[in-house]
PDB file of all heavy atoms in Angstrom:
ATOM      1  N   LYS I  40      35.317-121.216-187.432  1.00 97.00           N
ATOM      2  CA  LYS I  40      36.035-121.707-186.247  1.00 97.00           C
ATOM      3  C   LYS I  40      35.315-122.894-185.618  1.00 97.00           C
ATOM      4  O   LYS I  40      35.944-123.825-185.120  1.00 97.00           O
ATOM      5  CB  LYS I  40      36.218-120.584-185.223  1.00 97.00           C
ATOM      6  CG  LYS I  40      37.269-119.586-185.643  1.00 97.00           C
ATOM      7  CD  LYS I  40      37.497-118.522-184.598  1.00 97.00           C
ATOM      8  CE  LYS I  40      38.569-117.563-185.124  1.00 97.00           C
ATOM      9  NZ  LYS I  40      38.859-116.511-184.175  1.00 97.00           N
ATOM     10  N   ASN I  41      33.996-122.844-185.627  1.00 97.00           N
ATOM     11  CA  ASN I  41      33.210-123.948-185.068  1.00 97.00           C
ATOM     12  C   ASN I  41      33.267-125.202-185.931  1.00 97.00           C
ATOM     13  O   ASN I  41      33.138-126.316-185.415  1.00 97.00           O
ATOM     14  CB  ASN I  41      31.749-123.526-184.873  1.00 97.00           C
ATOM     15  CG  ASN I  41      31.578-122.561-183.735  1.00 97.00           C
ATOM     16  OD1 ASN I  41      32.348-122.565-182.776  1.00 97.00           O
ATOM     17  ND2 ASN I  41      30.566-121.708-183.825  1.00 97.00           N
ATOM     18  N   PHE I  81       8.056-112.665-190.235  1.00 51.00           N
ATOM     19  CA  PHE I  81       6.961-113.519-189.793  1.00 51.00           C
ATOM     20  C   PHE I  81       6.683-113.353-188.307  1.00 51.00           C
ATOM     21  O   PHE I  81       5.824-114.008-187.759  1.00 51.00           O
ATOM     22  CB  PHE I  81       7.287-114.979-190.094  1.00 51.00           C
ATOM     23  CG  PHE I  81       7.610-115.196-191.532  1.00 51.00           C
ATOM     24  CD1 PHE I  81       8.894-115.505-191.928  1.00 51.00           C
ATOM     25  CD2 PHE I  81       6.633-115.081-192.502  1.00 51.00           C
ATOM     26  CE1 PHE I  81       9.200-115.692-193.256  1.00 51.00           C
ATOM     27  CE2 PHE I  81       6.935-115.258-193.841  1.00 51.00           C
ATOM     28  CZ  PHE I  81       8.217-115.572-194.220  1.00 51.00           C
ATOM     29  N   GLU I  89       1.618-106.780-194.437  1.00 51.00           N
ATOM     30  CA  GLU I  89       1.499-108.092-195.061  1.00 51.00           C
ATOM     31  C   GLU I  89       2.878-108.686-195.244  1.00 51.00           C
ATOM     32  O   GLU I  89       3.804-108.011-195.665  1.00 51.00           O
ATOM     33  CB  GLU I  89       0.846-107.984-196.451  1.00 51.00           C
ATOM     34  CG  GLU I  89      -0.589-107.568-196.446  1.00 51.00           C
ATOM     35  CD  GLU I  89      -1.166-107.573-197.851  1.00 51.00           C
ATOM     36  OE1 GLU I  89      -0.546-108.158-198.757  1.00 51.00           O
ATOM     37  OE2 GLU I  89      -2.235-106.988-198.035  1.00 51.00           O
ATOM     38  N   PHE I  99      13.547-116.720-197.956  1.00 70.00           N
ATOM     39  CA  PHE I  99      13.099-118.099-197.813  1.00 70.00           C
ATOM     40  C   PHE I  99      13.251-118.881-199.107  1.00 70.00           C
ATOM     41  O   PHE I  99      13.615-120.047-199.117  1.00 70.00           O
ATOM     42  CB  PHE I  99      11.616-118.108-197.463  1.00 70.00           C
ATOM     43  CG  PHE I  99      11.355-118.650-196.112  1.00 70.00           C
ATOM     44  CD1 PHE I  99      10.988-117.802-195.106  1.00 70.00           C
ATOM     45  CD2 PHE I  99      11.488-119.997-195.838  1.00 70.00           C
ATOM     46  CE1 PHE I  99      10.737-118.272-193.851  1.00 70.00           C
ATOM     47  CE2 PHE I  99      11.247-120.483-194.589  1.00 70.00           C
ATOM     48  CZ  PHE I  99      10.871-119.623-193.581  1.00 70.00           C
ATOM     49  N   VAL I 103      15.457-122.692-202.803  1.00 87.00           N
ATOM     50  CA  VAL I 103      15.093-123.357-204.052  1.00 87.00           C
ATOM     51  C   VAL I 103      16.287-123.483-204.997  1.00 87.00           C
ATOM     52  O   VAL I 103      16.477-124.515-205.635  1.00 87.00           O
ATOM     53  CB  VAL I 103      13.912-122.626-204.729  1.00 87.00           C
ATOM     54  CG1 VAL I 103      13.587-123.248-206.072  1.00 87.00           C
ATOM     55  CG2 VAL I 103      12.700-122.653-203.810  1.00 87.00           C
ATOM     56  N   ASN I 126      -0.604-113.443-192.358  1.00 73.00           N
ATOM     57  CA  ASN I 126      -1.224-113.272-193.676  1.00 73.00           C
ATOM     58  C   ASN I 126      -1.889-114.564-194.144  1.00 73.00           C
ATOM     59  O   ASN I 126      -1.703-115.009-195.272  1.00 73.00           O
ATOM     60  CB  ASN I 126      -0.202-112.760-194.682  1.00 73.00           C
ATOM     61  CG  ASN I 126      -0.860-112.102-195.865  1.00 73.00           C
ATOM     62  OD1 ASN I 126      -1.963-111.574-195.758  1.00 73.00           O
ATOM     63  ND2 ASN I 126      -0.187-112.148-196.998  1.00 73.00           N
ATOM     64  N   TYR I 129       0.316-117.512-195.785  1.00 78.00           N
ATOM     65  CA  TYR I 129       0.790-117.426-197.181  1.00 78.00           C
ATOM     66  C   TYR I 129       2.156-118.087-197.378  1.00 78.00           C
ATOM     67  O   TYR I 129       2.334-118.898-198.279  1.00 78.00           O
ATOM     68  CB  TYR I 129       0.841-115.955-197.616  1.00 78.00           C
ATOM     69  CG  TYR I 129       1.569-115.748-198.925  1.00 78.00           C
ATOM     70  CD1 TYR I 129       0.932-116.011-200.135  1.00 78.00           C
ATOM     71  CD2 TYR I 129       2.887-115.311-198.949  1.00 78.00           C
ATOM     72  CE1 TYR I 129       1.603-115.838-201.336  1.00 78.00           C
ATOM     73  CE2 TYR I 129       3.558-115.134-200.140  1.00 78.00           C
ATOM     74  CZ  TYR I 129       2.916-115.407-201.325  1.00 78.00           C
ATOM     75  OH  TYR I 129       3.589-115.241-202.509  1.00 78.00           O
TER      76      TYR I 129
END
Side-chain angles (χ1 to χ4, degrees):
K40 286 183 180 180
N41 288 332
F81 305 110
E89 293 183 15
F99 245 107
V103 176
N126 201 27
Y129 169 79

